[in-house]
Amino acid sequence: MTRTITRRLVAGVLGAGVALTGLSGPAFAAPHDTSVSVGRLVLEPTDRGYAGSLPVTVNYRGHDAAYLNLAVTEPAPGAFDGLDPADPCVFGAAQPARTIYCHVPGGALRPGERRTFTVDFRVHTTTRPYAMVSFGGQVAIETGDRNPANDTAAFSALYRSTTGSLRAPRPYVRDTLTDAAVSAGPAALTRQEDGSWLGRVPLIIRVAGDAPHDVYWLTPTLPSGVEIGGIEPPEPCTASCMVAGGKFMPGEERTIALLIRAPAEVSPGDLGTGSAHLGASFGWGGLLPDVYPADNVATFTVTAG
């Protein structure tokens, strides 16, 4: 689910510009009394942070079948991990917690129908031996209701400790700045059957903190005559290349490679120095500020032959 949502978000970052009105269904509820209620959200420790699901129940009292709009505000920035049953969603601006806009999953609701589903959350942070809590979560059903107070339910997120306790939770506070670094090795291009040159720039990326992010990007600057050819593991790659693997855990390190190429007319020898700039994005904003911007850039030499 996380990978699917990340790809939807990446499409927006790359310029797809999905409008929230794009979620409109074939019919909407006329003003009628509709209510929403939620259960308890408990995030359990896992090998990649905390994960859990919020039970949501919607009571629809309209006279005609209708699709209902759903808006979910995260209890922790970047925590939203999808719906069950799955349904497409659109991300709002990060400020810092986002509101995510979807339909109530399962299609149009019948008059008088009561429907239950879950909203899934995952927080990529180091698990702790004590319980924690995040406030500010909200689920809203948007129907043009005559009684909009019934259409909103607030919730918090409880993080179970690694010892199994939920008692005396401490507030969970995430990093506000990313703390990432990139290093690179030299790139040697080899002649291909068609005469062109192809090579790899080995890169190591390490992320130290748990600042909310959706994806990390590498933006290469290459010597004259050398072009970007892709990234390994494969991900979208144009002027910038997405780092595979989804969100990072604090302390996680990944080894990847930029693929670079040069035309056949390039002569063997030293082609110059290139660089790769590492940045993270969250929501619809630009690159996030980093604690130490200097280690977000790695340089490397490029040779042919």
Side-chain angles (χ1 to χ4, degrees):
M1 176 62 72
T2 301
R3 185 176 180 86
T4 300
I5 293 171
T6 298
R7 286 188 178 277
R8 290 192 186 113
L9 180 63
V10 168
V13 173
L14 293 178
V18 179
L20 298 183
T21 54
L23 287 176
S24 299
F28 285 94
H32 290 289
D33 186 22
T34 302
S35 64
V36 60
S37 60
V38 298
R40 188 169 73 156
L41 174 60
V42 176
L43 300 176
E44 305 287 347
T46 73
D47 59 349
R48 291 191 65 79
Y50 295 85
S53 298
L54 175 74
V56 179
T57 299
V58 175
N59 286 301
Y60 173 57
R61 302 179 183 91
H63 298 304
D64 303 302
Y67 290 82
L68 302 186
N69 287 335
L70 171 70
V72 179
T73 301
E74 298 171 312
F80 179 78
D81 200 35
L83 305 177
D84 189 8
D87 208 81
C89 295
V90 173
F91 291 80
Q95 41 183 330
R98 297 173 296 188
T99 297
I100 295 92
Y101 300 91
C102 320
H103 279 149
V104 170
L109 282 81
R110 300 183 304 275
E113 182 177 354
R114 174 186 174 95
R115 182 174 297 176
T116 298
F117 57 96
T118 64
V119 183
D120 301 329
F121 296 93
R122 180 175 291 274
V123 178
H124 290 77
T125 191
T126 305
T127 55
R128 273 79 156 184
Y130 52 84
M132 298 187 295
V133 64
S134 294
F135 300 101
Q138 180 176 281
V139 172
I141 304 297
E142 300 170 347
T143 63
D145 205 328
R146 288 181 179 144
N147 186 5
N150 290 340
D151 288 346
T152 302
F155 66 93
S156 58
L158 278 170
Y159 302 70
R160 192 182 300 278
S161 73
T162 52
T163 61
S165 175
L166 290 173
R167 298 182 60 185
R170 308 178 191 180
Y172 169 50
V173 180
R174 302 194 76 164
D175 292 338
T176 57
L177 299 178
T178 60
D179 188 3
V182 58
S183 59
L189 305 183
T190 57
R191 185 79 76 174
Q192 305 300 296
E193 291 184 0
D194 63 358
S196 66
W197 299 90
L198 182 65
R200 302 167 76 254
V201 182
L203 296 161
I204 297 175
I205 296 170
R206 188 177 190 278
V207 175
D210 67 351
H213 63 280
D214 288 310
V215 65
Y216 272 85
W217 299 89
L218 283 165
T219 303
T221 300
L222 300 174
S224 177
V226 181
E227 300 177 344
I228 186 71
I231 192 169
E232 292 180 342
E235 286 292 351
C237 192
T238 52
S240 296
C241 302
M242 191 174 88
V243 176
K247 296 178 183 179
F248 278 77
M249 283 290 293
E252 184 175 354
E253 188 173 279
R254 297 179 192 170
T255 299
I256 64 172
L258 284 174
L259 305 181
I260 57 176
R261 62 194 178 198
E265 57 267 24
V266 167
S267 300
D270 182 5
L271 301 185
T273 300
S275 65
H277 180 273
L278 176 68
S281 58
F282 180 53
W284 297 103
L287 293 182
L288 301 173
D290 194 89
V291 175
Y292 303 110
D295 62 11
N296 293 159
V297 179
T299 61
F300 50 87
T301 58
V302 180
T303 57

